[in-house]
Structure formats: C-alpha cells, structure tokens
Amino acid sequence: MHPPMDHDRFLNREVSLLDFQERVLALGERQDLPLLERVNYAAIVSSNLDEFFQVRVAGLKEQVSAGVHGDAVETLAAIRPKVSELERRRDALVAKELLPALAEAGLRVIGWGDLSSEAQKELAETFEHDVFPVLTPLAIDPSHPFPFISNLSLNLGVLISEPGRNRKFARVKVPPSLPRFFAAPDDAGWLPIEHLIAAHTDRLFPGVAVDAT
C-alpha cells in the first residue's frame, strides 16, 4: 500500500504556466533588448494568456460545473491574482514604455481625435465604402439574447438609448477580414479599426442616441 501523496511536494501545472509567462514578460521589460523584440515578448504573453483561458481555465471551470473538480476551485482562486498582476505589468509596459518608444521610432498608434479634419474626412470615406457594409450590429434585450462570441474575435460594446425606452446594450463584431490598423492619410500614425468604427456609430445605429462605446 502506497503512502498518501504530499501535495505540497508537487507543482500546480496551471500556476507553473503563469510563472513561465512572468519570465517571458520580464524579457519584454528589459530595456537592453531591441525594441521590436520587447514588443514581441509582450505579444507572446497576451497570446499565451488567451490560450490559457481558452484551454486551461475553461477546463477547470468544466470540472467545477461537473462536480469532479478536485483542486480546481483552489487553482482558480490561485490563478486570479497572478493573472491580474501579469496583465497590470503588461499594460504598464505597453502604455508607458513600448508605445512611446514605437512613436519615437516612427510607428505611432493614434486615436480618432489625433487626426486632422482632412484625415478624418478621408478615413470616413474608407469607413463608408470598406468597413460599414460588412458590419452587423446586434442589440441585446429580452427578445434578442446575448449572442455567441467566438474566441479571439474583436468586438465593440455600445450603449444606445431611445426616448422613453430603457437603455440597451449592443454588440458590433469586427470581421477578421478587415485590417487591424489604418494608416492616417497625413502620415500621423496608425488608427486601430475599433477607433474608426467607434467614431461612426451613428451610421450603425441611426435614429437612436449612442451613449457610450
């Protein structure tokens, strides 16, 4: 008969994977490495976290739902603070170091308000001809349940309201066939597609007030 196993002597697989992501992120935080290598390490962490939740966390939650969770509840509790800290570090790295360094190197990510009026006009035409025809906004209410959101898809959440009616939540899925960024006509930088769509929500929801995106 084998003696009972001492769980303190074993490493948790999911927690160990997050420890590995911390080491990858630490490479992105190294200022002695080339800029694009640092950007790549930050991107790797984001991609790996997506897969981690799709596979590992989903599996743990299925165990809990099935009532055969074992240590799944404890593992989920251990995962949350580690992921939160990883995301905090990654977001700070991107916002405070990588994006400013990319802008200094000539690769500037901009918002709609950073564009000149002429650039906005030209990109508005791009939206009208290339983006607007392939968008399908979906309102969510008792007669329209929350839609299925596919893995790794880009979506915009929009709050809309009509006079005398309750505010509604709507979802706009960005088709993967569209470019992720649009070059500003005046070489001011690169505009993310979600900024382009958010600037034209009045075309997607005519006759109602768009309260927030």
Side-chain angles (χ1 to χ4, degrees), residues 11 13 16 25-26 28-29 41-42 45 53 62 78 80 82 117 129 156 160 163 190 197 208:
L11 296 175
R13 180 177 61 178
S16 294
L25 185 59
E29 293 170 332
Y41 285 127
V45 171
F53 273 86
E62 285 180 357
R80 186 183 183 107
K82 292 184 74 68
S117 58
H129 292 98
L156 274 74
I160 58 176
W190 293 86
I197 295 173
V208 299

Side-chain angles (χ1 to χ4, degrees), residues 1 20 28 40 49 70 75 89 96 110 119 122 129 147 152 157 178:
M1 183 175 180
F20 172 72
N40 189 44
L49 283 178
T75 300
R89 284 174 54 190
K96 297 179 180 179
I110 58 175
E122 188 167 334
H129 292 98
L152 305 179
L178 293 174

Side-chain angles (χ1 to χ4, degrees), residues 17-18 51 64:
L17 282 172
L18 293 177
E51 182 180 4
V64 174

